[in-house]
Amino acid sequence: CIHVRRNIWKYLSKDECRKILNEKGVVRYGKRLDALIEYIAKTIDVEQKKRKASHMYKQFGWTPDYKKFVIGNREISAFGTKFVPVSEDLKDISAALVKKGSYDLWKKAVSVYERPGMELRAFGFFCGFGSLLMPFLDKSSALVNLFNTESGQGKTAVLQAMLSIYGDPSEDSKLMLVKGDTMNSIINRLGYMGHLPQAIDEFTDPTPQELHELLKFGTTGRGKNRMVNGANGERQNTTVFDLIPVVSS
């Protein structure tokens, strides 16, 4: 049994359908494949008539009415939490925005920032909560830089602690961006995060152009406007955000 989800058109293209079915161990050719594609199409038609389509989210954070909050594939409101579909572009990030582990052990771990002398690190950590408040301040995004000329000062640990508020803080979870990621990909990620904080680790020795773009777009709350290919017009700019990127360098 194959669970048909997003990008449904792939199943209705004969070549793509055959490829996907083969990956699932279902081998069909010729008229048998045509019959299966027809079955999928009719099933979709029946499901569409049974219930209205669900809204698919393209970014995390507050919904436009500020009554719900989307994190991963969960929609949180005053009435509880329900699972919702998210854009295919958010798939890798959504997988890292999950609840896991012990809340008591987490509180014990982050309590290190209560110690005297840890105030600046605590500020970086609390940006994880403050990012959610940015839309209510009638301002664009803010950008915080944790700077120290020496290594081993806990800059990356602060970023991981901030990420642990919402998801997997490990460096390979794809939540954290690092030096070497292109500026376009960084700005695009801010658009995906919406109102969730974004950690950018080791942004050290950037070029003047990289620094200019990070400060300009990271604090104005939107990405670059782009033209539509082959047309004299602009694409809709969906890369908009109100959040706090926290950068270590």
Side-chain angles (χ1 to χ4, degrees):
C1 178
I2 296 177
H3 182 50
V4 181
R5 300 187 296 175
R6 296 177 291 276
N7 289 338
I8 214 74
W9 60 269
K10 287 185 176 181
Y11 293 88
L12 305 182
S13 164
K14 184 175 289 189
D15 291 338
E16 286 293 336
C17 185
R18 183 188 294 115
K19 178 182 176 182
I20 294 170
L21 290 171
N22 288 345
E23 290 175 352
K24 301 295 182 180
V26 181
V27 181
R28 295 290 185 272
Y29 292 93
K31 292 182 178 180
R32 297 182 70 190
L33 178 61
D34 292 339
L36 187 52
I37 292 175
E38 183 179 0
Y39 169 75
I40 293 173
K42 289 183 176 180
T43 301
I44 294 169
D45 187 52
V46 170
E47 291 298 317
Q48 288 176 333
K49 292 176 180 178
K50 285 170 59 177
R51 57 181 179 270
K52 65 179 182 180
S54 300
H55 177 74
M56 181 177 290
Y57 290 103
K58 296 183 179 180
Q59 64 178 179
F60 304 118
W62 295 102
T63 56
D65 59 4
Y66 296 103
K67 293 182 179 180
K68 301 172 184 176
F69 195 89
V70 179
I71 177 169
N73 62 349
R74 290 168 290 147
E75 180 189 82
I76 303 169
S77 71
F79 302 100
T81 301
K82 70 175 184 178
F83 292 96
V84 294
V86 296
S87 167
E88 193 75 12
D89 295 333
L90 302 179
K91 181 178 63 177
D92 289 343
I93 314 171
S94 182
L97 292 170
V98 294
K99 295 193 294 182
K100 188 175 181 179
S102 165
Y103 181 47
D104 289 333
L105 288 178
W106 178 83
K107 288 191 293 183
K108 183 177 180 181
V110 298
S111 67
V112 66
Y113 298 120
E114 294 179 341
R115 299 175 182 174
M118 301 291 280
E119 291 81 7
L120 292 179
R121 295 172 179 82
F123 178 81
F125 167 68
F126 279 115
C127 284
F129 297 100
S131 186
L132 275 62
L133 303 177
M134 293 302 292
F136 303 98
L137 300 180
D138 195 27
K139 300 288 183 182
S140 297
S141 296
L143 190 144
V144 173
N145 179 217
L146 304 177
F147 173 79
N148 197 301
T149 56
E150 299 180 12
S151 61
Q153 299 301 308
K155 298 185 295 294
T156 300
V158 172
L159 298 183
Q160 291 180 296
M162 181 186 75
L163 292 177
S164 74
I165 299 170
Y166 306 104
D168 185 353
S170 59
E171 293 186 72
D172 59 354
S173 75
K174 298 186 179 180
L175 281 185
M176 187 181 298
L177 298 174
V178 295
K179 174 66 174 176
D181 291 334
T182 66
M183 189 53 55
N184 284 341
S185 71
I186 291 175
I187 301 303
N188 195 59
R189 169 65 68 83
L190 298 182
Y192 288 162
M193 299 306 281
H195 305 117
L196 289 175
Q198 178 60 57
I200 306 173
D201 195 27
E202 291 298 340
F203 198 76
T204 303
D205 294 329
T207 66
Q209 181 64 25
E210 287 176 331
L211 185 59
H212 170 73
E213 290 197 9
L214 180 64
L215 293 175
K216 179 180 180 180
F217 292 106
T219 57
T220 54
R222 73 164 180 85
K224 299 176 181 178
N225 287 334
R226 300 182 186 278
M227 299 296 289
V228 178
N229 290 334
N232 186 22
E234 293 183 4
R235 294 180 185 176
Q236 181 183 4
N237 191 346
T238 58
T239 310
V240 292
F241 44 88
D242 284 300
L243 49 70
I244 303 179
V246 182
V247 184
S248 74
S249 60

